Amino acid sequence: MNTVWAIAFVVILELIRKKDFYVLFVLTALITLVMGTVNFFNDDNIVRYLKEICLLLIWISSLVISISTAARQVPAEKENRTIFPLLAKPVTRAQLLLGKFLGCWLACGLALVLFYVFFGAVAASREHAWPVAHYFQALVLHWAALAVIIALTLAGSIVLAAPSSTVTITFVVVAGILYLGGHLDKVALRTGGVAGVALHVIYFVIPHLELFANVRDLIIHNWPLVPWLVWFGALLYAAVYAAIFLLIAWLLFRRKALNI
Amino acid sequence: MPWLRLTALVVSAFTLATVLEPALRQWSRRKAQAQGVLAALMGDSRRLFANHLFVQSDVYLHGGYYPSIFDQSERPPDAATKPAAARQAAPRDDDHKRKDGEHDEHSEACDHDFLGRPRNWIDAFGRNFFPSQHTHLGEGKAGMAEAREILPWLKLSAELDPQRVETYVVAAYWLRQMNKETEALQFLREGLRHNPDSYDILFELGLCYENKNESALARNLWEISLRRWQEQQSRRERPDHLMLAQLLTHLARLEVRAHRPDVAVKYLETLKTISPHPEEIQKRIEEVKAGQPFEVEKKP
Amino acid sequence: MEAILKIDNLRVEYRSREMGQGIKVALNGLNLSVSQGEVFGFLGPNGAGKTTTMNVLLGFVNATRGRACLFGTDVRKPIARQRIGYLPELTYYYKFLTAEELLRFYARIFRIPNPERESRIDAVLKLVELADARTRQIKTYSKGMQQRAGLAQALINNPDLLILDEPTSGLDPIGRMKVREIIQRLRSEGKTVFFSSHELGEVETVCDRVAILSQGELKAEGRVSDIVKQHQCDLEQAFLRIIGYSTPSLQ
Ligand SMILES: Nc1ncnc2c1ncn2[C@@H]1O[C@H](COP(=O)(O)OP(=O)(O)OP(=O)(O)O)[C@@H](O)[C@H]1O
Ligand SMILES: [Mg+2]
């Protein structure tokens, strides 16, 4: 485990030292604040549109950060040949993958905390309330979804050597799931036939990330908390999928010859 | 990092547009150019986007409880082709129905449980993670003030598609509910600038002035509105009778208040010809003739 | 003496990605054994298969046939690598780390406990003369400094066996001398060093034994003095003769 943490730590350090995250954070903050200064019918208490925009930007930023970071980890190790001195040490490939995963995930978690604190401040500036439990639920669910996305990206990055193609494909897949994932079964019913069956299978196989993104609406419109047991169930659900994708990544990576 | 750059580009373009929009707008107004920066940037797709924003205001009215396009297409087809719903191109116009005081029971019932019974465990589980109960803003303890949340989307929608009349009308309705007549008037005038012949906007303007107890202005506007309606609708195969009925009712009531029952009766006689319940109207006419006051809300 | 590094009948084939290229045999029937305390030079022309051999020893490349052991453990098990230090050829390290952080990272992987870790980092940085640059990010290093950082990471766990792939490439004369000194010191501490090199002079001064590889096959193995005696000439000419290169002047 020590090894995994050491590898994870390097990933986090890399993310902190690269500028991507700051750019995204500043952009998110800037757009939100600019939108906040727009005057809508002289009413200073309008807040939900601002929450919506801010959360949307946070989701987009988090996807960009997590996918772009996870996609380049293993290919960059190979490209820069840093994988050779690393694997020459008592490190298994499983540990390497796990460390990379953990590093990306923790780094994204740190970023998310910052983003959500900003979000909370924006909301509180107009609503004068800090529904901390709600934010906590949303943040952890968001983070759990990122775990699945990062694991998926890592698996993708082992199949597709070029990070840019991994990023593109994962982005399309994740966006597809977020927009269509929950409705595929309805589409399947209407389509019918072989295509319908295929859609149904896809519906039951894919990780339903939209569950985690949907929570945004509960936060925006001040709905009550998700029942904690259900919330916990969602975390387990994400954990299972993240584990599956990590396992796939490991199976692909295990026997791969490293010389390029 | 092509993705990062692309996102950054889009995002900064958007920010820039948002920041520059007011300044450029002022500048372009001076040059008598009607086109905003956003409009120029986005071309014709802005109509679609404006529609999206308009729907968004309806989503907000329902506190986020809203059918997706997948749910909507499962609704019975007649719901979308009803005259009331077909008045404008919007997929749903709950706002309008509320404004009109008319309630389309069938379509509302459809929307209340558009989710239906859970289709499978994923669906059932997923319902914990989004608003899954029917609600309206203004029903909570915060009262009508809560409805302010829908306004930004209407404003943005109008920015993108100033030709869309119902945006102004709906926004004005809610602004009136929140006792913001000044803002409503301002917004409606903006709408009128883009749609000088809209009887809808003229009628709504009249309502605002009526609220401000400026009956003379209100009457004036409604009379123009009535003329516009006749110019645009009377020769249609299925004229917008709902609107006409409202216009006539309001005009009649104004005239009753102004102690001009004969003019009021003239309006009511016209109303009788288009009303589904002419006998009710007849009763009204009798009442007016007898010198009794009447309220619009007492409609059947 | 106990064999620390043992290679048995090793064959490695590379399958080309491009269709129709067939397979490339990089190593064929290689047998090698290095015992405790030896400094072993691994020689051969470019493309002979030296790096490939090391890649097999470190588990990066799977053998098509045969096997390799370190400390009596099959190289495919990661534990075989606990007591080795490895310096790859042409390596760049995490550019965004400083030398200090890089070494700390590797030390953590070896589970070197904390107080010892820091003193170890100080010691190896001093040894490779990077102490002044230790808090600078590696991306600001020159090529030779990167090579030194590589040497430092190979030494961080105080390994019993060092596998060095062309350790002196890119170093200035003082750096080369330093590397020779380090190797000699390690030998005096009873460590084993297995390294490849094109610098026959330095091989001659530091190696106990050498192996000469050509086109994936072992052509000669033994003490430098024996090889020189056998061929009746200096090591360079013997090397050329062994790999089958003959110049007019030699005939
Ligand atoms: N990934 C690969 N795919 C195909 N062939 C390869 C691959 N890597 C190495 N080879 C071939 O294997 C042979 C041995 O290469 P290797 O790198 O082991 O040589 P070397 O002895 O280290 O040479 P040098 O002195 O130049 O470092 C070469 O002919 C090389 O072309
Ligand atoms: Mg080599």
Side-chain angles (χ1 to χ4, degrees):
Chain A
M1 210 51 210
N2 204 5
T3 311
V4 173
W5 282 117
I7 296 170
F9 183 70
V10 169
V11 177
I12 296 173
L13 218 55
E14 178 185 8
L15 230 76
I16 291 174
R17 288 187 184 167
K18 290 219 162 147
K19 303 290 172 281
D20 315 5
F21 166 71
Y22 305 105
V23 172
L24 285 170
F25 182 75
V26 168
L27 272 178
T28 301
L30 208 70
I31 296 177
T32 309
L33 294 178
V34 166
M35 287 308 289
T37 59
V38 178
N39 176 7
F40 290 109
F41 306 108
N42 305 323
D43 195 328
D44 296 335
N45 290 318
I46 302 178
V47 65
R48 294 189 185 176
Y49 82 99
L50 208 56
K51 293 207 283 186
E52 169 117 29
I53 291 170
C54 189
L55 277 181
L56 184 70
L57 290 171
I58 290 176
W59 263 87
I60 293 174
S61 304
S62 74
L63 288 186
V64 171
I65 295 174
S66 58
I67 293 179
S68 64
T69 313
R72 68 164 181 248
Q73 287 308 323
V74 176
E77 285 271 347
K78 282 195 202 167
E79 186 116 323
N80 300 334
R81 304 176 140 262
T82 45
I83 199 165
F84 293 110
L86 181 58
L87 284 184
K89 310 214 164 12
V91 174
T92 62
R93 295 190 182 190
Q95 282 172 322
L96 175 69
L97 277 181
L98 216 58
K100 292 293 182 190
F101 167 79
L102 213 65
C104 292
W105 192 49
L106 289 174
C108 287
L110 287 179
L112 275 190
V113 170
L114 200 63
F115 272 123
Y116 273 81
V117 167
F118 172 74
F119 169 77
V122 167
S125 73
R126 303 222 169 154
E127 282 183 329
H128 309 292
W130 279 93
V132 178
H134 290 76
Y135 295 164
F136 175 75
Q137 274 196 342
L139 185 144
V140 175
L141 285 173
H142 191 164
W143 199 31
L146 289 187
V148 179
I149 292 168
I150 290 169
L152 175 71
T153 315
L154 273 179
S157 78
I158 287 161
V159 187
L160 310 153
S164 56
S165 42
T166 313
V167 168
T168 316
I169 290 177
T170 325
F171 226 96
V172 170
V173 168
V174 170
I177 292 178
L178 288 179
Y179 279 103
L180 302 174
H183 307 295
L184 269 184
D185 61 330
K186 280 179 255 170
V187 180
L189 279 180
R190 221 169 310 151
T191 315
V194 182
V197 174
L199 282 176
H200 245 117
V201 171
I202 294 176
Y203 176 79
F204 282 104
V205 167
I206 56 168
H208 283 272
L209 298 172
E210 77 277 0
L211 300 189
F212 303 88
N214 283 343
V215 181
R216 286 198 330 258
D217 282 344
L218 297 181
I219 299 282
I220 294 167
H221 298 286
N222 298 337
W223 285 81
L225 287 173
V226 177
W228 286 100
L229 214 62
V230 173
W231 175 80
F232 192 72
L235 298 189
L236 281 183
Y237 177 82
V240 168
Y241 270 99
I244 290 173
F245 286 129
L246 278 179
L247 189 72
I248 292 173
W250 177 70
L251 287 175
L252 292 169
F253 191 47
R254 194 173 47 137
R255 290 263 164 255
K256 208 165 173 109
L258 284 182
N259 53 333
I260 325 141
Chain B
M1 307 294 318
W3 272 103
L4 190 67
R5 272 190 222 137
L6 195 71
T7 323
L9 197 75
V10 171
V11 159
S12 48
F14 193 74
T15 322
L16 212 66
T18 336
V19 176
L20 293 182
E21 164 84 353
L24 277 165
R25 196 162 257 277
Q26 216 136 54
W27 168 78
S28 65
R29 199 170 290 157
R30 231 174 288 144
K31 292 189 73 187
Q33 275 180 357
Q35 282 217 321
V37 181
L38 270 177
L41 263 179
M42 298 174 60
D44 255 357
S45 63
R46 69 180 207 275
R47 281 251 144 83
L48 274 173
F49 199 55
N51 182 51
H52 172 77
L53 292 177
F54 184 79
V55 173
Q56 183 78 335
S57 74
D58 201 13
V59 174
Y60 268 47
L61 182 66
H62 292 85
Y65 174 77
Y66 208 75
S68 72
I69 46 167
F70 299 96
D71 299 307
Q72 282 171 358
S73 49
E74 283 188 349
R75 288 167 59 194
D78 65 333
T81 48
K82 279 215 176 81
R87 264 179 65 186
Q88 304 291 342
R92 289 170 25 109
D93 54 2
D94 256 19
D95 299 335
H96 242 106
K97 281 177 239 139
R98 283 168 67 79
K99 184 191 83 146
D100 298 339
E102 181 223 32
H103 229 67
D104 187 332
E105 287 305 330
H106 172 62
S107 126
E108 270 285 295
C110 245
D111 295 343
H112 278 210
D113 56 352
F114 66 83
L115 286 172
R117 306 242 325 263
R119 301 182 302 275
N120 49 55
W121 70 269
I122 294 173
D123 186 33
F125 185 61
R127 287 182 189 193
N128 290 298
F129 299 93
F130 60 81
S132 52
Q133 271 163 34
H134 188 262
T135 177
H136 280 131
L137 283 189
E139 285 169 0
K141 55 181 182 300
M144 263 315 159
E146 240 190 338
R148 68 164 80 90
E149 303 293 352
I150 73 166
L151 295 174
W153 303 114
L154 293 173
K155 173 103 176 174
L156 292 175
S157 179
E159 292 283 324
L160 286 176
D161 187 0
Q163 263 76 47
R164 185 176 183 137
V165 170
E166 72 185 317
T167 321
Y168 301 100
V169 175
V170 171
Y173 167 77
W174 286 106
L175 283 167
R176 274 194 291 114
Q177 297 295 306
M178 295 157 58
N179 300 322
K180 286 173 98 83
E181 272 81 13
T182 322
E183 283 78 11
L185 279 173
Q186 207 179 344
F187 195 49
L188 284 170
R189 284 209 200 93
E190 203 183 307
L192 201 60
R193 240 196 329 273
H194 293 287
N195 311 278
D197 295 328
S198 165
Y199 55 83
D200 260 314
I201 295 182
L202 287 165
F203 173 66
E204 199 65 34
L205 266 172
L207 286 177
C208 289
Y209 280 116
E210 192 196 27
N211 267 21
K212 294 178 82 166
N213 287 326
E214 303 200 35
S215 316
L217 276 172
R219 177 190 299 124
N220 205 351
L221 285 161
W222 285 339
E223 279 168 5
I224 304 174
S225 174
L226 188 59
R227 238 172 289 145
R228 295 280 175 275
W229 189 93
Q230 276 154 352
E231 282 163 20
Q232 294 162 34
Q233 294 281 335
S234 52
R235 267 188 296 280
R236 293 239 173 134
E237 202 177 309
R238 296 171 75 184
D240 183 0
H241 278 149
L242 198 65
M243 184 68 219
L244 183 62
Q246 282 189 68
L247 250 176
L248 292 171
T249 317
H250 277 81
L251 272 170
R253 189 182 54 166
L254 199 68
E255 298 299 353
V256 170
R257 287 215 191 119
H259 306 294
R260 289 162 43 169
D262 43 336
V263 190
V265 168
K266 212 179 74 207
Y267 287 130
L268 287 174
E269 292 289 355
T270 322
L271 182 59
K272 200 167 82 178
T273 61
I274 59 161
S275 174
H277 309 284
E279 63 289 356
E280 297 267 344
I281 309 295
Q282 187 52 46
K283 225 158 69 200
R284 283 261 167 94
I285 294 175
E286 312 284 303
E287 283 169 13
V288 170
K289 280 184 177 156
Q292 288 173 11
F294 82 90
E295 287 307 315
V296 181
E297 274 66 38
K298 246 169 58 187
K299 261 176 66 174
Chain C
M1 252 195 279
E2 182 201 347
I4 282 190
L5 186 161
K6 195 154 169 47
I7 295 172
D8 272 330
N9 194 24
L10 189 69
R11 182 185 170 90
V12 173
E13 293 169 358
Y14 286 119
R15 249 167 265 278
S16 294
R17 284 264 174 81
E18 297 87 59
M19 298 283 282
Q21 288 258 338
I23 48 172
K24 156 97 194 153
V25 181
L27 283 177
N28 193 10
L30 181 67
N31 288 296
L32 214 59
S33 143
V34 178
S35 15
Q36 158 104 51
E38 257 187 326
V39 173
F40 194 95
F42 201 38
L43 311 179
N46 290 139
K50 304 182 295 292
T51 302
T52 303
T53 311
M54 294 187 175
N55 282 346
V56 171
L57 287 173
L58 294 154
F60 304 151
V61 170
N62 300 319
T64 314
R65 177 146 43 80
R67 68 187 228 122
C69 293
L70 296 173
F71 304 101
T73 315
D74 193 294
V75 291
R76 278 173 294 187
K77 295 184 186 140
I79 193 68
R81 302 192 278 276
Q82 177 70 29
R83 287 160 65 201
I84 66 173
Y86 168 61
L87 173 70
E89 68 176 345
L90 303 171
T91 296
Y92 312 92
Y93 298 90
Y94 302 98
K95 293 191 176 77
F96 51 89
L97 294 182
T98 65
E100 204 175 63
E101 286 165 341
L102 182 78
L103 294 177
R104 203 169 287 138
F105 166 54
Y106 289 134
R108 280 181 67 188
I109 288 178
F110 283 112
R111 292 155 203 273
I112 303 173
N114 202 353
E116 193 191 332
R117 188 193 301 164
E118 293 306 312
S119 64
R120 195 71 215 139
I121 291 170
D122 289 344
V124 290
L125 281 172
K126 209 162 142 238
L127 195 65
V128 300
E129 299 188 326
L130 276 180
D132 292 337
R134 60 186 290 169
T135 52
R136 266 166 51 191
Q137 291 191 18
I138 291 178
K139 63 178 164 216
T140 67
Y141 283 15
S142 74
K143 182 178 169 210
M145 288 166 87
Q146 291 196 15
Q147 185 77 359
R148 285 163 202 254
L151 201 58
Q153 64 79 26
L155 294 169
I156 188 70
N157 58 331
N158 197 12
D160 294 324
L161 167 65
L162 268 156
I163 299 178
L164 311 173
D165 203 348
E166 303 187 26
T168 52
S169 84
L171 293 185
D172 59 19
I174 306 171
R176 284 160 194 260
M177 198 178 70
K178 270 272 170 197
V179 170
R180 280 204 296 277
E181 276 176 25
I182 291 171
I183 292 176
Q184 269 157 346
R185 198 160 83 211
L186 289 167
R187 175 171 48 192
S188 70
E189 289 170 13
K191 316 267 187 196
T192 315
V193 181
F194 179 79
F195 77 103
S196 74
S197 180
H198 295 297
E199 291 290 321
L200 298 177
E202 87 192 10
V203 169
E204 208 162 354
T205 45
V206 300
C207 288
D208 299 309
R209 283 199 304 143
V210 298
I212 299 177
L213 200 64
S214 180
Q215 302 197 334
E217 285 173 22
L218 189 65
K219 300 289 182 191
E221 190 198 350
R223 302 189 151 275
V224 179
S225 53
D226 291 345
I227 289 175
V228 169
K229 214 180 285 166
Q230 193 188 330
H231 289 267
Q232 306 262 305
C233 55
D234 64 13
L235 185 62
E236 182 172 335
Q237 284 176 350
F239 175 80
L240 291 174
R241 220 175 272 171
I242 288 167
I243 65 170
Y245 183 87
S246 52
T247 56
S249 66
L250 283 169
Q251 282 159 352

